Amino acid sequence: MRGLGKFAVCILAIFSFSLVLAVVRSPAHRQSPLQESAQNPDLAYLGFDRNDYPGDSNLPAVKQSFSFAGYWLNVPPGAKSNSWAGKRAILRDSGFGFLVLFNGRTSAELKRAADPAALAEADARTAIENAKREGFSPGTVIFLDQEEGGRLLPKQEEYFLAWADGIISAGYRAGVYCSGIPVKEDGDQSITTANDIHDHAGGRKIIYFVYNDVCPPSPGCAGAKSPRPPSASGIEFADVWQFAQSPRRTNFARACPANYNRDGNCYPPPGNGAVRIYLDLDSATSADPSNGRQQN
């Protein structure tokens, strides 16, 4: 009986050692990119935006380099029509995440508005109607396009906050595309639009898509090779950073002309078969910054 007991102990010890060894050697559970991005703000996913839809035939080639695409819900700035309408399904099937955009009002328009809040509420309803028609579910982040930099004028602030309230009350999430470039004010003071909105959000949860194509911190078109996280834009709470615009804005990106193509534009990296289409380049903490891939 003693001999059998020692044998059993020996077998048990070998089994236990094998089990520990197997656990040590087994690979750790890998999170999906979206899970990782939600937990690590230092991650950077490369995306693009442009006013004109790039074309169905170009999507497979473009997807080789980009995780997400900007998606306009209404007519983009300076355009006469919206070529993105009806393209959510093919973009989703091609594997793209989304950066959902809504073109807001300029300061000139708001100066003429008798009631900016009422205008904002109407625009928010339009944004929600268009989002639903395009197949974007509640919970999707809709970014209001606010291109003018510096501190918001009172009517701009009133408009934005009322618009955000309308988006949030409908079950969607409010975001803003705005400047992350410091603008000098009186004395040595400076302000960015992103910080101004952040300081006056009044507890609202706003998602920030900032543009800062000043070199540095912008790497220009070269940033497409190894995108930096949005926090590198100078706005630490940014979720998305537009770090290069096409064509290059010489008054802001004059310090890095070598990082753009000769014509001043950024294009998809060569060799992926894409037609030569110019792009604005973005980095984000998520491969789907608007959470737009979710199905109704």
Side-chain angles (χ1 to χ4, degrees), residues 197-268:
I197 294 174
H198 189 267
D199 291 344
H200 294 90
R204 298 171 180 84
K205 175 61 177 176
I206 307 297
I207 313 301
Y208 292 85
F209 172 18
V210 303
Y211 68 84
N212 187 351
D213 53 337
V214 175
C215 302
S218 169
C221 304
K225 297 178 181 178
S226 181
R228 299 173 65 194
S231 57
S233 67
I235 304 298
E236 62 180 9
F237 50 81
D239 294 281
V240 191
W241 174 24
Q242 184 185 75
F243 58 83
Q245 296 187 19
S246 296
R248 179 172 67 95
R249 302 195 303 166
T250 54
N251 53 331
F252 293 100
R254 58 181 176 272
C256 59
N259 290 352
Y260 284 76
N261 288 277
R262 289 185 177 181
D263 63 1
N265 292 319
C266 297
Y267 297 94

Side-chain angles (χ1 to χ4, degrees), residues 17-253:
F17 177 77
S18 300
L19 181 62
V20 170
L21 186 61
V23 170
V24 170
R25 288 183 174 178
S26 63
H29 172 65
R30 294 187 60 82
Q31 295 174 309
S32 70
L34 292 182
Q35 289 175 316
E36 290 178 346
S37 66
Q39 297 175 5
N40 188 351
D42 294 328
L43 287 179
Y45 293 88
L46 181 66
F48 75 92
D49 67 275
R50 67 195 313 265
N51 285 358
D52 297 325
Y53 180 67
D56 296 350
S57 62
N58 288 323
L59 296 184
V62 174
K63 185 61 182 68
Q64 293 181 34
S65 301
F66 298 96
S67 296
F68 62 89
Y71 194 100
W72 288 98
L73 292 178
N74 60 345
V75 178
K80 295 182 178 180
S81 61
N82 183 14
S83 57
W84 292 87
K87 296 298 183 180
R88 177 183 179 270
I90 189 171
L91 283 162
R92 187 182 188 281
D93 291 345
S94 297
F96 284 96
F98 294 93
L99 190 62
V100 181
L101 306 167
F102 184 82
N103 186 17
R105 305 284 178 164
T106 65
S107 60
E109 291 178 285
L110 293 174
K111 284 179 181 179
R112 298 190 297 267
D115 190 346
L119 183 60
E121 291 167 4
D123 285 351
R125 287 193 296 270
T126 299
I128 297 301
E129 290 169 2
N130 292 359
K132 290 180 177 178
R133 183 175 62 248
E134 293 295 320
F136 292 107
S137 303
T140 299
V141 181
I142 303 176
F143 292 91
L144 180 71
D145 186 71
Q146 166 56 52
E147 301 202 357
E148 296 165 299
R151 189 181 299 275
L152 294 185
L153 299 173
K155 283 192 173 183
Q156 287 179 304
E157 181 179 315
E158 182 181 0
Y159 172 85
F160 172 71
L161 295 178
W163 182 88
D165 288 341
I167 296 298
I168 294 169
S169 65
Y172 287 74
R173 300 174 68 194
V176 63
Y177 167 77
C178 63
S179 175
I181 301 172
V183 174
K184 288 186 178 181
E185 296 188 311
D186 295 335
D188 296 330
Q189 298 296 317
S190 63
I191 188 68
T192 68
T193 311
N195 278 306
D196 182 41
I197 294 174
H198 189 267
D199 291 344
H200 294 90
R204 298 171 180 84
K205 175 61 177 176
I206 307 297
I207 313 301
Y208 292 85
F209 172 18
V210 303
Y211 68 84
N212 187 351
D213 53 337
V214 175
C215 302
S218 169
C221 304
K225 297 178 181 178
S226 181
R228 299 173 65 194
S231 57
S233 67
I235 304 298
E236 62 180 9
F237 50 81
D239 294 281
V240 191
W241 174 24
Q242 184 185 75
F243 58 83
Q245 296 187 19
S246 296
R248 179 172 67 95
R249 302 195 303 166
T250 54
N251 53 331
F252 293 100

